[in-house]
Amino acid sequence: MIHIDQLSKSFNRKPALSDVSLTIPSGQIYGLLGPNGAGKTTLIRIMNQILKADQGIIQVDGKLLSANHWKDFGYLPEERGLYKSMNVNDTLVFLARLRGLTKYDAQASVRFWLEKFEISSWAKTKIEALSKGMAQKVQFIAAVVHQPNYLILDEPLSGFDPINVELILSELKSMRADGKTIILSTHNMKSVEEICDHVALLHKSKLIAEGKVHALREKALNGEFIVRFSGNMIALANALWTEFELIDTKEIGENRFQIVVRQRGERTFEELASNLMGKLKLEAIEKRLPSMQEVFLELIAKEEVKNEE
Amino acid sequence: MRNSFLIASREFMDRWTSKSYQLMLVVGPILILVFTYFLLKFGDQGKSSLRVLIADPTDLFGNKITSNPTRAVEYSFYTTYLDFEEFRDGNRFKEFDAFVEINEKILNNKTVKLFYRERPSMEVKIKLKFELERRVEEIMIDQFTDLSIDKYRQIKQPLNIDFLNVYDPKNQAENERGWVGLFFGAIILLFIGLFGMTILRSTSKDKSNRVVEVLLASVRSSELMLGKIIGIGLSAVFQLLVWAFFIIVGLLIFKEYIFTDIFDPSNYEGMQFATDVKNDILLNSSASRYNMFIELIYHRINYGVMLPVFFMFFAASYFFYASFFMTIGATAGSESDGQQFIIPIFLLLFLSFYAGFEAIYAPESFLAVFFAYFPFTAAMTTLINVSIGVTTSGIFQIIFSFLFLLFNAFVFLAIAARLFKNGILNSGHRLNWKTIFQWLKKQ
């Protein structure tokens, strides 16, 4: 578990992090969200001991973060970088040894990962000869080659094609299943919904929300329902009357539709169901959970209003 | 420290696997040896094979030049009139490289003409002039004076003034030796310049290809900096040793098999005699200096002291200057940025040469003493002082100079580490003094 307590950092008197406190539970995938300039990279760099905080502390499993933790952390920076003139194998062995592995263990681990990602044939290829996607894979291996307990990934999916995105996501899930803690910063909200257990939202150097992904989405429920039915739209209009507002309509087959409706006033899910029943051939009604994108935008908007006030 | 070692190994291997480094490892000493070969060959040209015909129709010289001939010139006599066209075209004269026209006016105007087929070397010219002049002197003494030749030579000998230091009356500290120190100092400066730029480029490259962020997540910035400096320094030392090995082997081969005459002191006996009579031309000749340097390099430098001092100052100066190159590389906004900051460092490197001349020509001047302690010039000045000769007080001066240089190296490495830490993750800016001072103040 990583416990961050009242962390602050500023550059040239401009705050990059202001009094940020959060707890990252072990064995989970933790998303760090926020618009550009929110302070995510600064927080990540402090966790990686690249920068020092002006104030506050970080504890890892109850101990203050120190050089002893280097071997426990893996890091994939947003701006990827490897030695271009070195080959894949030597690069990975070198970086693994910097993280505390012996030469023998480093070589064995590199072999394991290259085989796992089916790129053993690249072992002697120079980094400069790799395509961007190939280099991204190598960079990902560089972050995990020493089997860290904590993996910090800054925009881990950028630069990958859909096949490799799936590969990386499945690898992250597998690492979580092995008890590893993964902290990722991303703008890809779809992947956040898919793999993150917890998220923290940073905005203008401050932490404005933190919690489980599902809880945040539940909290942001806005009285919208998804309805799938067979019938016609006139019957639907009669059924909804003025009590529900039609937001979106999509034809999904012959006389089959999927609509999104929003409740007005104090109307409930049960009232919607009873209104529609008998008038349409209902296939499904469900509450529509807002996407993380919507949650994100709504929280930012609320924060902006609060700041203006 | 383990990580510094890993980084140093990587930096060393990076240089080692670089084609340009491998090429310079071999081509560098070969170029120096080829250059030396031509230098020796040029200096050696015609020395032992020049055959001179003395055309002396009046038999003024009496078929004699010197009782102590040098090996450089072989004389033959021709007592019939000979003009240069006949000499040039006549088959029987083809074996001669030059002829000297002697006539009776020589005792009045002291002028002779020497016609050559191929321009003789300066060394041969001097020998010819020396030997002909002495023969003419002998004839004139015989014809115009009652003096013996020995007496005349004694009279002719100029006043010899020995300038001696009251603190060094035996003149143990000879300035000529200082040039060897200057040479060693120049090697240090050459390697610092070359590998300093390597440090700068390597740091800028790591910064621009963003690998530095990956590294800083596993090592301290000071470890990274030290590892890079040590790794690149080791590649410099390795190159220096390889060069030294090849050059020493090459010079030994030259000495034993190719230019055996040049290294033979008996070759210079005639010349040595010439210096005894203080022949100014000979004293200033390249041949004389050449002989002196062979003597200096092979016999009069105390390498037992010189080499350890060389390596001590090499290491300390390298770390000292490396801190500046590293700082520029880490704080520059791009690989091309920071040029303006390199110029002052190179000017300070060149200041060492001025300090070197000061140490040779005015070793006790205030400036020479100052330069011996000034960290930018300490290596050069101290090596010259060591090559000139070390007195007891000089040993303390060298130790203090070294410790002061070492202290400064640590101080500037600490400053560089702070600037490295604060500057290495910043890119795209334009480096200026204000930014440097801001990063210097930042913890």
Side-chain angles (χ1 to χ4, degrees):
Chain A
M1 186 173 74
I2 298 177
H3 180 65
I4 295 169
D5 192 23
Q6 296 183 313
L7 212 62
S8 294
K9 175 79 185 173
S10 56
F11 297 104
N12 297 329
R13 294 179 193 162
K14 282 184 192 162
L17 280 180
S18 305
D19 213 17
V20 170
S21 297
L22 48 91
T23 300
I24 300 170
S26 293
Q28 304 234 327
I29 299 180
Y30 196 98
L32 280 177
L33 313 179
N36 293 332
K40 304 185 297 291
T41 300
T42 303
L43 177 59
I44 282 174
R45 283 180 174 173
I46 293 172
M47 280 196 274
N48 276 301
Q49 303 180 68
I50 296 169
L51 294 176
K52 271 188 181 169
D54 297 338
Q55 277 180 347
I57 55 161
I58 297 180
Q59 287 179 312
V60 179
D61 298 330
K63 290 180 181 164
L64 271 180
L65 183 67
S66 70
N68 294 331
H69 289 109
W70 265 325
K71 61 182 186 305
D72 298 326
F73 279 75
Y75 178 41
L76 177 75
E78 183 181 8
E79 293 186 278
R80 317 288 197 251
L82 296 167
Y83 288 112
K84 289 181 180 167
S85 57
M86 281 175 94
N87 68 38
V88 170
N89 183 72
D90 292 350
T91 302
L92 293 173
V93 169
F94 169 68
L95 292 173
R97 291 185 72 194
L98 280 185
R99 292 286 190 174
L101 261 58
T102 63
K103 192 175 181 181
Y104 178 81
D105 289 345
Q107 283 169 336
S109 183
V110 168
R111 265 198 307 277
F112 167 79
W113 281 101
L114 291 180
E115 277 166 22
K116 186 169 191 176
F117 276 46
E118 297 174 346
I119 54 172
S120 298
S121 58
W122 302 354
K124 296 291 170 196
T125 309
K126 282 194 173 180
I127 299 291
E128 63 194 353
L130 299 177
S131 70
K132 192 183 172 193
M134 288 155 88
Q136 295 276 59
K137 260 189 183 177
V138 175
Q139 188 99 47
F140 181 81
I141 295 175
V144 297
V145 69
H146 57 293
Q147 309 281 3
N149 289 323
Y150 297 94
L151 183 60
I152 301 176
L153 311 166
D154 203 349
E155 290 295 344
L157 305 175
S158 75
F160 280 117
D161 58 40
I163 296 167
N164 282 314
V165 164
E166 281 310 308
L167 177 75
I168 298 295
L169 289 179
S170 95
E171 190 52 47
L172 293 180
K173 286 175 192 168
S174 147
M175 289 175 79
R176 173 175 58 188
D178 290 343
K180 313 282 186 192
T181 307
I182 297 152
I183 300 145
L184 60 89
S185 156
T186 181
H187 290 123
N188 185 335
M189 295 300 160
K190 199 170 166 294
S191 62
V192 171
E193 285 170 21
E194 188 183 339
I195 61 166
C196 285
D197 305 301
H198 277 75
V199 290
L201 179 60
L202 291 167
H203 181 54
K204 290 184 177 171
S205 82
K206 290 179 185 153
L207 180 72
I208 59 170
E210 194 210 359
K212 287 187 172 174
V213 171
H214 196 267
L216 283 174
R217 291 176 73 188
E218 285 274 353
K219 202 174 165 187
L221 275 175
N222 51 7
E224 288 180 1
F225 303 94
I226 298 169
V227 181
R228 276 198 302 278
F229 66 93
S230 300
N232 61 61
M233 293 304 287
I234 298 165
L236 171 72
N238 290 335
L240 291 177
W241 193 229
T242 57
E243 293 167 343
F244 292 90
E245 180 190 354
L246 184 64
I247 304 286
D248 187 37
T249 309
K250 195 159 66 181
E251 194 167 355
I252 54 173
E254 198 176 342
N255 284 333
R256 288 182 67 230
F257 299 92
Q258 177 172 299
I259 60 165
V260 178
V261 295
R262 182 182 293 151
Q263 65 191 53
R264 282 183 173 141
E266 298 298 313
R267 302 295 166 200
T268 61
F269 176 82
E270 288 74 19
E271 284 173 316
L272 175 65
S274 71
N275 277 6
L276 296 176
M277 253 184 269
K279 292 169 186 146
L280 299 166
K281 193 177 172 188
L282 281 176
E283 290 177 15
I285 306 178
E286 60 183 315
K287 284 180 185 172
R288 192 181 81 84
L289 273 177
S291 67
M292 274 310 293
Q293 173 84 4
E294 289 165 313
V295 173
F296 178 87
L297 292 174
E298 191 189 318
L299 287 168
I300 298 288
K302 276 184 187 167
E303 189 63 21
E304 287 291 331
V305 171
K306 209 165 97 183
N307 287 344
E308 278 171 25
E309 284 169 1
Chain B
M1 204 57 207
R2 176 184 176 269
N3 283 346
S4 287
F5 171 75
L6 285 172
I7 287 161
S9 309
R10 199 212 72 83
E11 290 293 337
F12 181 83
M13 289 310 290
D14 195 37
R15 303 277 100 64
W16 173 245
T17 52
S18 137
K19 285 200 168 52
S20 58
Y21 181 83
Q22 289 169 356
L23 200 70
M24 275 313 287
L25 215 54
V26 180
V27 171
I30 288 174
L31 280 176
I32 290 173
L33 286 172
V34 166
F35 180 72
T36 311
Y37 174 84
F38 280 112
L39 208 69
L40 296 174
K41 186 80 182 163
F42 178 74
D44 190 32
Q45 205 171 32
K47 184 166 63 67
S48 59
S49 63
L50 194 82
R51 301 190 68 189
V52 177
L53 182 67
I54 308 283
D56 181 14
T58 57
D59 199 20
L60 187 69
F61 277 26
N63 285 2
K64 183 185 164 197
I65 287 285
T66 172
S67 55
N68 185 22
T70 62
R71 288 191 223 162
V73 188
E74 185 186 320
Y75 297 101
S76 296
F77 291 89
Y78 188 68
T79 50
T80 312
Y81 178 77
L82 179 69
D83 71 14
F84 77 91
E85 285 169 330
E86 194 182 351
F87 175 79
R88 184 184 64 199
D89 304 326
N91 280 335
R92 57 187 171 142
F93 301 116
K94 291 285 183 204
E95 62 179 300
F96 296 104
D97 302 302
F99 99 92
V100 180
E101 191 184 70
I102 305 290
N103 57 45
E104 64 282 358
K105 290 180 189 168
I106 191 174
L107 299 179
N108 297 322
N109 61 15
K110 289 190 83 177
T111 302
V112 292
K113 284 180 180 164
L114 183 144
F115 296 91
Y116 57 81
R117 294 188 195 279
E118 199 176 312
R119 181 182 280 274
S121 68
M122 178 60 80
E123 186 187 349
V124 169
K125 276 185 186 174
I126 289 161
K127 283 181 180 177
L128 273 166
K129 181 175 163 48
F130 168 68
E131 286 170 353
L132 289 170
E133 192 174 24
R134 283 169 69 86
R135 181 64 188 130
V136 171
E137 272 178 13
E138 284 170 12
I139 295 164
M140 289 177 83
I141 292 162
D142 184 47
Q143 289 194 7
F144 305 131
T145 73
D146 296 327
L147 293 167
S148 69
I149 290 169
D150 287 345
K151 198 74 189 167
Y152 170 77
R153 295 255 153 85
Q154 200 180 348
I155 294 165
K156 195 192 169 193
Q157 193 160 328
L159 180 66
N160 187 16
I161 304 177
D162 278 343
F163 289 85
L164 297 173
N165 186 332
V166 287
Y167 302 108
D168 181 22
K170 289 180 182 170
N171 196 18
Q172 287 171 326
E174 292 164 82
N175 287 0
E176 289 81 5
R177 292 182 187 178
W179 293 98
V180 177
L182 189 85
F183 174 73
F184 276 93
I187 290 176
I188 291 182
L189 298 184
L190 174 76
F191 273 83
I192 286 175
L194 283 176
F195 284 88
M197 286 304 291
T198 308
I199 290 173
L200 190 151
R201 275 196 301 272
S202 165
T203 313
S204 296
K205 212 163 90 180
D206 286 3
K207 198 172 159 169
S208 64
N209 70 21
R210 312 288 179 191
V211 72
V212 78
E213 188 161 355
V214 179
L215 298 176
L216 287 176
S218 33
V219 297
R220 287 188 186 91
S221 56
S222 54
E223 283 180 322
L224 174 60
M225 192 187 81
L226 210 60
K228 287 182 86 67
I229 291 176
I230 291 171
I232 293 169
L234 285 177
S235 65
V237 170
F238 182 71
Q239 185 165 343
L240 183 70
L241 292 176
V242 170
W243 280 31
F245 174 77
F246 280 123
I247 290 168
I248 288 169
V249 169
L251 287 176
L252 283 174
I253 291 170
F254 285 174
K255 185 181 174 187
E256 296 298 325
Y257 301 107
I258 301 174
F259 299 107
T260 47
D261 284 352
I262 290 178
F263 297 93
D264 181 358
S266 67
N267 232 357
Y268 297 93
E269 279 165 11
M271 308 301 289
Q272 207 56 49
F273 182 69
T275 57
D276 291 345
V277 294
K278 302 291 184 229
N279 181 321
D280 284 347
I281 296 168
L282 202 55
L283 261 180
N284 293 320
S285 74
S286 59
S288 169
R289 268 184 267 134
Y290 182 62
N291 184 17
M292 184 183 82
F293 272 104
I294 287 172
E295 168 76 4
L296 272 177
I297 291 164
Y298 282 88
H299 304 293
R300 284 160 75 176
I301 296 296
N302 184 354
Y303 289 100
V305 177
M306 189 74 183
L307 290 178
V309 173
F310 171 78
F311 280 106
M312 278 161 61
F313 275 82
F314 181 97
S317 294
Y318 172 75
F319 277 105
F320 177 70
Y321 273 100
S323 65
F324 292 91
F325 285 106
M326 182 60 84
T327 300
I328 296 171
T331 53
S334 64
E335 276 187 62
S336 58
D337 194 18
Q339 293 293 332
Q340 52 177 324
F341 294 90
I342 295 168
I343 294 165
I345 295 177
F346 272 93
L347 285 177
L348 286 165
L349 271 172
F350 286 124
L351 178 69
S352 288
F353 281 100
Y354 174 73
F357 289 118
E358 192 70 26
I360 290 172
Y361 290 116
E364 278 121 30
S365 69
F366 168 76
L367 264 183
V369 174
F370 169 76
F371 284 140
Y373 296 114
F374 188 48
F376 290 96
T377 54
M380 173 67 90
T381 317
T382 305
L383 283 168
I384 288 168
N385 290 340
V386 169
S387 62
I388 286 172
V390 187
T391 58
T392 314
S393 64
I395 289 172
F396 290 112
Q397 194 182 36
I398 290 165
I399 292 170
F400 186 73
S401 170
F402 176 70
L403 291 177
F404 190 61
L405 175 61
L406 211 58
F407 169 75
N408 274 282
F410 280 120
V411 168
F412 280 91
L413 278 172
I415 291 171
R418 175 169 286 195
L419 287 169
F420 184 90
K421 187 177 75 178
N422 292 326
I424 195 77
L425 289 171
N426 289 283
S427 296
H429 59 279
R430 185 100 185 127
L431 184 60
N432 54 46
W433 288 108
K434 192 181 162 196
T435 317
I436 288 180
F437 284 118
Q438 272 176 355
W439 285 340
L440 202 55
K441 282 192 283 181
K442 205 162 126 186
Q443 285 296 318

